[in-house]
């Protein structure tokens, strides 16, 4: 098979890129290791910045999000037994975010792709990238015991953190920056009305707590747990009790509990790979960078990469200009590092970092300082809605 862009991975990065290319008539194929049901069974992020909602519209996959997505203009911070609302809409001149699950966004993008003429190959095993540092790269994979070869001009590595694309960049060129945190998030998804209309970030002496949602009838809650914690040791009842214990009384009293649709523990990690391009290979999304979820940036960074990479391909194929592709890695990394900084900072501000009471006092003082200052609130707001 021959194509222009071979996309590895059918997550948000690969699907968004694929749809923009397809709409521009640029040949592409998506090669994905898993099957569709497995991908749609994963519960992931849920807060979309404007860059992501705009892109979904541009891709022609925004119909359901327009109907079901919840537009938010602010969120709440709980600390020192009080609540402070960050009115990010007012603080950023009218910007909002949309609460809509990554799982739903992925489904919508898969549906529009299926209605079009470009292919996705699911359950592609042993995917390998070849001749990446040349103008004639190709990808091989095994399906139903048969090895297939896809010749292409470019490869887009959208295969997530554990994918095969990133390690294709030689060790002496690839530099990886990483910070692992000694805690994770235990999350629950349940069909119960959210405790608040807006997202709530809470700072408690025993650890971070987050109240989010997927709709007016579906809630997503998280509590910080030590990294060694096992999900099997958490009954649903234990989770609900811990959630309520970490929330201020007036909020805890409003929590509606119900059976879990999903419960899991996710580790927290910061990671960046430089460069994001090598020869004909371009990395996008989690294959190039990971952020802890505290700033709700992971999905939005993936969307930003897909948009920027599409612009490069558009310039190349429709205007015979490679400059934009050449600048891809540097321009993405400038944006990525700013989001890495915000995600790391939000994480260190809200989580229990150690047993030293000094650390907590400093966090409380920082939260008091930030929320007592217009400049402080603006800095949180403008990062949360996404920097330009
Ligand atoms: N070959 C083919 N496909 C692969 C391979 C491989 N060797 N390895 C992984 N994949 C697929 C995965 O099965 C997955 O469907 O690549 C896809 C990567 O998708 P995501 O992990 O969702 O990554 P991305 O598209 O970059 O989206 C980033 O996901 O983890 C969240 O917070 C993150 O919201 C952000 C978003
Ligand atoms: C979520 O809804 O899953 C969510 C919301 C905000 C975050 C992280 C996750 O910062």
């Amino acid at each position: 098979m021959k194509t222009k862009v071979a996309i590895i991975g059918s997550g948000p990065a690969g699907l968004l890129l694929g749809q923009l290319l397809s709409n521009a008539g640029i040949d592409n194929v998506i090669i994905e290791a898993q099957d569709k049901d497995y991908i749609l069974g994963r519960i992931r992020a849920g807060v979309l910045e404007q860059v992501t909602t705009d892109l979904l519209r541009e891709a022609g996959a925004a119909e359901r999000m327009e109907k079901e997505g919840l537009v938010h203009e602010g969120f709440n911070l709980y600390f020192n037994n009080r609540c402070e609302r960050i009115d990010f809409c007012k603080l950023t001149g009218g910007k909002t975010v949309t609460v809509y699950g990554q799982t739903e966004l992925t489904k919508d993008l898969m549906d529009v792709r299926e209605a079009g003429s470009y292919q996705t190959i699911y359950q592609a095993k042993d995917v390998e990238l070849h001749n990446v540092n040349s103008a004639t790269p190709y990808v091989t994979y095994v399906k139903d015991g048969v090895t297939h070869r896809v010749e292409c001009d470019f490869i887009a590595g959208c295969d997530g953190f554990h994918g095969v694309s990133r390690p294709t960049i030689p060790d002496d060129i690839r530099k990886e920056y990483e910070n692992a945190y000694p805690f994770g998030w235990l999350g629950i998804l349940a069909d119960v009305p959210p405790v608040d209309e807006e997202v709530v970030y809470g700072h408690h002496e025993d650890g971070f707590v987050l109240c989010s949602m997927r709709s007016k009838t579906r809630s997503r809650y998280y509590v910080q747990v030590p990294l060694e914690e096992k999900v099997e040791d958490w009954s649903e009842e234990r989770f609900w009790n811990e959630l309520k214990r970490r929330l201020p009384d007036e909020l805890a009293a409003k929590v509606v509990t119900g059976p879990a649709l999903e419960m899991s523990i996710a580790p927290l990690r910061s990671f960046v790979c430089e460069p994001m391009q090598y020869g004909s290979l371009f990395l996008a999304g989690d294959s190039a960078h990971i952020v802890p979820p505290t700033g709700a940036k992971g999905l939005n960074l993936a969307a930003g990469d897909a948009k920027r990479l599409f612009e490069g391909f558009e310039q190349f194929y429709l205007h015979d200009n490679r400059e934009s592709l050449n600048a891809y890695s540097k321009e993405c990394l400038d944006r990525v590092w700013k989001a890495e900084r915000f995600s790391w900072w939000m994480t260190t501000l809200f989580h229990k970092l150690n047993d030293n009471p000094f650390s907590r006092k400093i966090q409380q003082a920082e939260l008091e300082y930030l929320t007592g200052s217009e400049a402080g609130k603006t800095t949180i707001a403008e990062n949360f809605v996404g920097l330009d």
Side-chain angles (χ1 to χ4, degrees):
M1 184 198 294
K2 243 180 140 69
T3 190
K4 288 194 164 76
V5 184
I7 300 170
I8 320 290
S10 175
L15 284 164
L16 277 166
L17 175 65
Q19 204 50 40
L20 296 173
L21 289 171
S22 303
N23 292 351
I26 300 168
D27 241 43
N28 65 90
V29 61
I30 297 182
I31 303 162
E32 164 62 52
Q34 304 293 341
D35 65 27
K36 213 175 141 179
D37 290 344
Y38 176 89
I39 297 169
L40 292 177
R42 295 187 291 216
I43 307 298
R44 294 269 184 94
V47 176
L48 314 187
E49 292 173 14
Q50 184 124 15
V51 61
T52 308
T53 48
D54 285 350
L55 212 56
L56 211 56
R57 286 186 195 103
E58 196 179 329
E63 207 179 301
R64 200 158 63 99
M65 179 204 67
E66 306 279 17
K67 271 194 250 144
E68 297 175 17
L70 305 172
V71 175
H72 283 205
E73 297 187 350
F75 62 75
N76 295 299
L77 305 180
Y78 273 92
F79 59 98
N80 292 0
N81 294 319
R82 66 188 190 84
C83 171
E84 191 75 44
R85 180 169 187 263
I86 304 291
D87 187 337
F88 51 72
C89 185
K90 210 165 102 197
L91 289 161
T92 61
K95 290 190 182 168
T96 58
V97 300
T98 302
V99 172
Y100 188 66
Q102 177 174 324
T103 313
E104 307 310 316
L105 173 144
T106 306
K107 180 176 184 313
D108 298 344
L109 284 164
M110 283 177 166
D111 287 349
V112 280
R113 187 165 178 92
E114 271 167 28
S117 44
Y118 295 97
Q119 209 189 340
T120 301
I121 298 149
Y122 291 105
Q123 293 180 294
K125 299 299 163 202
D126 302 332
V127 174
E128 282 181 40
L129 284 59
H130 308 266
N131 288 0
V132 162
N133 196 18
S134 82
T136 52
Y138 64 95
V139 178
T140 56
Y141 64 91
V142 176
K143 173 125 185 168
D144 301 328
V146 181
T147 302
H148 299 263
R149 174 175 167 133
V150 179
E151 291 173 8
C152 53
D153 300 332
F154 297 105
I155 300 174
C158 304
D159 46 350
F161 183 67
H162 299 288
V164 287
S165 298
R166 189 179 64 251
T168 311
I169 303 178
D171 288 350
D172 58 337
I173 290 180
R174 193 175 79 236
K175 195 156 170 47
E176 298 186 344
Y177 300 84
E178 183 161 15
N179 187 38
Y181 302 83
F183 41 77
W185 281 13
L186 170 62
I188 202 168
L189 183 73
D191 274 335
V192 291
V195 69
D196 194 289
E197 282 185 356
E198 295 182 330
V199 174
V200 172
Y201 289 83
H203 181 254
H204 183 271
E205 66 181 321
D206 291 331
F208 174 66
V209 53
L210 172 60
C211 306
S212 184
M213 67 211 69
R214 291 291 173 272
S215 70
K216 291 198 170 208
T217 55
R218 182 169 288 186
S219 300
R220 181 75 169 149
Y221 295 116
Y222 302 94
V223 292
Q224 174 188 348
V225 292
L227 202 51
E228 320 68 72
E229 205 75 17
K230 300 236 172 331
V231 72
E232 301 80 62
D233 294 335
W234 284 81
S235 63
E236 294 180 20
E237 193 190 0
R238 182 175 171 207
F239 179 92
W240 290 116
N241 287 339
E242 186 61 18
L243 176 79
K244 287 193 237 174
R245 203 175 65 77
R246 291 199 197 173
L247 289 172
D249 291 346
E250 75 272 18
L251 211 56
K254 287 200 270 171
V255 171
V256 181
T257 64
L261 300 169
E262 193 253 11
M263 237 174 117
S264 56
I265 295 180
L268 268 64
R269 187 198 304 272
S270 297
F271 174 88
V272 181
C273 164
E274 293 189 355
M276 286 172 61
Q277 179 242 334
Y278 173 67
S280 300
L281 169 66
F282 293 80
L283 302 180
D286 276 16
S287 72
H289 40 74
I290 298 283
V291 284
T294 327
K297 289 279 162 265
L299 171 59
N300 297 299
L301 280 180
D305 292 351
K307 175 182 159 71
R308 180 59 188 79
L309 187 51
F310 166 66
E311 286 165 5
F313 288 139
E314 198 181 30
Q315 284 297 315
F316 181 79
Y317 285 112
L318 307 184
H319 305 285
D320 201 19
N321 183 346
R322 211 192 137 123
E323 269 174 40
S324 172
L325 277 181
N326 293 343
Y328 171 78
S329 176
K330 181 180 178 322
E331 284 182 19
C332 283
L333 286 166
D334 287 348
R335 173 176 45 84
V336 164
W337 273 113
K338 286 181 188 155
E340 289 282 344
R341 186 209 67 83
F342 178 65
S343 307
W344 162 85
W345 176 74
M346 281 284 280
T347 304
T348 54
L349 190 57
F350 276 97
H351 287 73
K352 178 175 182 178
L353 301 175
N354 50 47
D355 288 327
N356 186 345
F358 179 83
S359 301
R360 182 162 150 77
K361 284 285 185 190
I362 291 291
Q363 288 171 319
Q364 287 173 326
E366 187 165 3
L367 282 162
E368 290 290 355
Y369 160 65
L370 286 165
T371 54
S373 137
E374 279 304 287
K377 285 195 279 201
T378 306
T379 209
I380 298 177
E382 68 190 10
N383 278 280
F384 190 76
V385 297
L387 298 169
D388 287 333

Short mmCIF file of all heavy atoms in Angstrom, two decimals, residues 25 30 53 145 151 188 204 215-217 222 234 249 282 310-311 332 355:
data_model
loop_
_atom_site.label_atom_id
_atom_site.label_comp_id
_atom_site.label_asym_id
_atom_site.label_seq_id
_atom_site.Cartn_x
_atom_site.Cartn_y
_atom_site.Cartn_z
N GLY A 25 -7.99 16.47 1.53
CA GLY A 25 -7.73 15.57 0.39
C GLY A 25 -6.31 15.02 0.38
O GLY A 25 -5.79 14.61 -0.65
N ILE A 30 -4.42 5.25 9.00
CA ILE A 30 -4.13 5.11 10.43
C ILE A 30 -3.87 3.64 10.74
O ILE A 30 -4.66 2.76 10.34
CB ILE A 30 -5.30 5.64 11.30
CG1 ILE A 30 -5.50 7.15 11.07
CG2 ILE A 30 -5.01 5.38 12.79
CD1 ILE A 30 -6.62 7.78 11.93
N THR A 53 -11.86 22.32 20.91
CA THR A 53 -13.22 22.37 20.39
C THR A 53 -13.22 22.96 18.96
O THR A 53 -13.94 22.48 18.09
CB THR A 53 -14.15 23.20 21.31
OG1 THR A 53 -13.51 24.43 21.63
CG2 THR A 53 -14.46 22.47 22.59
N GLY A 145 -1.66 -12.74 10.79
CA GLY A 145 -0.52 -13.58 10.43
C GLY A 145 0.21 -13.14 9.17
O GLY A 145 1.23 -13.73 8.79
N GLU A 151 4.05 2.17 2.23
CA GLU A 151 5.05 3.16 1.82
C GLU A 151 4.44 4.54 1.92
O GLU A 151 3.25 4.72 1.63
CB GLU A 151 5.50 2.87 0.38
CG GLU A 151 6.30 1.59 0.33
CD GLU A 151 6.66 1.13 -1.06
OE1 GLU A 151 6.42 1.89 -2.02
OE2 GLU A 151 7.16 0.01 -1.16
N ILE A 188 -13.02 7.52 40.09
CA ILE A 188 -14.27 6.78 39.96
C ILE A 188 -15.15 7.50 38.94
O ILE A 188 -15.13 8.73 38.85
CB ILE A 188 -15.00 6.67 41.34
CG1 ILE A 188 -15.98 5.49 41.35
CG2 ILE A 188 -15.78 7.93 41.68
CD1 ILE A 188 -16.51 5.16 42.76
N HIS A 204 -6.37 19.16 50.67
CA HIS A 204 -6.67 18.63 51.99
C HIS A 204 -5.37 18.11 52.60
O HIS A 204 -4.47 17.69 51.87
CB HIS A 204 -7.70 17.49 51.86
CG HIS A 204 -8.15 16.91 53.16
ND1 HIS A 204 -7.50 15.87 53.77
CD2 HIS A 204 -9.19 17.24 53.96
CE1 HIS A 204 -8.11 15.57 54.89
NE2 HIS A 204 -9.15 16.40 55.05
N SER A 215 -21.21 14.77 32.47
CA SER A 215 -22.50 15.32 32.06
C SER A 215 -23.23 15.73 33.35
O SER A 215 -22.68 15.59 34.44
CB SER A 215 -23.32 14.27 31.30
OG SER A 215 -23.74 13.27 32.20
N LYS A 216 -24.47 16.16 33.20
CA LYS A 216 -25.23 16.57 34.39
C LYS A 216 -25.67 15.37 35.22
O LYS A 216 -26.19 15.51 36.33
CB LYS A 216 -26.45 17.40 33.98
CG LYS A 216 -26.01 18.74 33.43
CD LYS A 216 -27.14 19.74 33.43
CE LYS A 216 -26.66 21.05 33.13
NZ LYS A 216 -26.35 22.10 32.94
N THR A 217 -25.48 14.18 34.65
CA THR A 217 -25.87 12.97 35.40
C THR A 217 -24.70 12.00 35.59
O THR A 217 -24.90 10.90 36.10
CB THR A 217 -26.99 12.22 34.64
OG1 THR A 217 -26.54 11.98 33.31
CG2 THR A 217 -28.29 13.03 34.61
N TYR A 222 -11.80 12.12 41.85
CA TYR A 222 -10.47 11.56 42.08
C TYR A 222 -9.99 11.92 43.49
O TYR A 222 -10.28 13.02 43.99
CB TYR A 222 -9.44 12.17 41.13
CG TYR A 222 -9.70 12.02 39.65
CD1 TYR A 222 -10.36 13.02 38.93
CD2 TYR A 222 -9.23 10.91 38.95
CE1 TYR A 222 -10.56 12.90 37.56
CE2 TYR A 222 -9.42 10.79 37.58
CZ TYR A 222 -10.10 11.79 36.89
OH TYR A 222 -10.28 11.69 35.54
N TRP A 234 -9.51 -0.93 47.39
CA TRP A 234 -10.50 0.15 47.54
C TRP A 234 -11.89 -0.35 47.16
O TRP A 234 -12.19 -0.53 45.98
CB TRP A 234 -10.12 1.35 46.68
CG TRP A 234 -9.00 2.12 47.29
CD1 TRP A 234 -7.67 1.83 47.23
CD2 TRP A 234 -9.11 3.31 48.09
NE1 TRP A 234 -6.95 2.75 47.93
CE2 TRP A 234 -7.81 3.68 48.48
CE3 TRP A 234 -10.19 4.09 48.53
CZ2 TRP A 234 -7.56 4.79 49.27
CZ3 TRP A 234 -9.93 5.20 49.31
CH2 TRP A 234 -8.62 5.54 49.68
N ASP A 249 -17.29 20.25 54.68
CA ASP A 249 -18.56 19.64 55.10
C ASP A 249 -19.73 20.00 54.18
O ASP A 249 -20.53 19.13 53.83
CB ASP A 249 -18.91 20.06 56.54
CG ASP A 249 -17.94 19.43 57.52
OD1 ASP A 249 -17.22 18.49 57.10
OD2 ASP A 249 -17.89 19.89 58.68
N PHE A 282 7.35 12.48 12.59
CA PHE A 282 6.87 13.58 13.44
C PHE A 282 6.08 12.99 14.59
O PHE A 282 5.15 12.23 14.36
CB PHE A 282 5.98 14.54 12.63
CG PHE A 282 6.73 15.29 11.57
CD1 PHE A 282 7.05 14.69 10.36
CD2 PHE A 282 7.15 16.60 11.78
CE1 PHE A 282 7.77 15.38 9.38
CE2 PHE A 282 7.87 17.29 10.83
CZ PHE A 282 8.18 16.67 9.62
N PHE A 310 -0.76 19.29 11.01
CA PHE A 310 -1.59 19.39 9.81
C PHE A 310 -1.21 20.63 9.00
O PHE A 310 -1.08 20.57 7.78
CB PHE A 310 -3.08 19.44 10.17
CG PHE A 310 -3.93 19.88 9.01
CD1 PHE A 310 -4.04 19.08 7.88
CD2 PHE A 310 -4.56 21.12 9.01
CE1 PHE A 310 -4.79 19.49 6.78
CE2 PHE A 310 -5.30 21.54 7.92
CZ PHE A 310 -5.41 20.72 6.80
N GLU A 311 -1.01 21.76 9.70
CA GLU A 311 -0.63 23.00 8.98
C GLU A 311 0.67 22.79 8.19
O GLU A 311 0.81 23.26 7.07
CB GLU A 311 -0.45 24.16 9.98
CG GLU A 311 -1.80 24.67 10.48
CD GLU A 311 -1.70 25.56 11.73
OE1 GLU A 311 -0.57 25.88 12.19
OE2 GLU A 311 -2.76 25.91 12.26
N CYS A 332 6.28 23.40 18.60
CA CYS A 332 5.49 22.57 19.53
C CYS A 332 6.13 22.58 20.91
O CYS A 332 5.45 22.73 21.92
CB CYS A 332 5.37 21.14 19.04
SG CYS A 332 4.19 20.95 17.71
N ASP A 355 5.57 14.48 54.38
CA ASP A 355 4.98 14.59 55.72
C ASP A 355 5.46 15.83 56.47
O ASP A 355 5.17 16.00 57.66
CB ASP A 355 5.33 13.34 56.54
CG ASP A 355 4.56 12.13 56.05
OD1 ASP A 355 3.40 12.32 55.61
OD2 ASP A 355 5.12 11.02 56.05
#
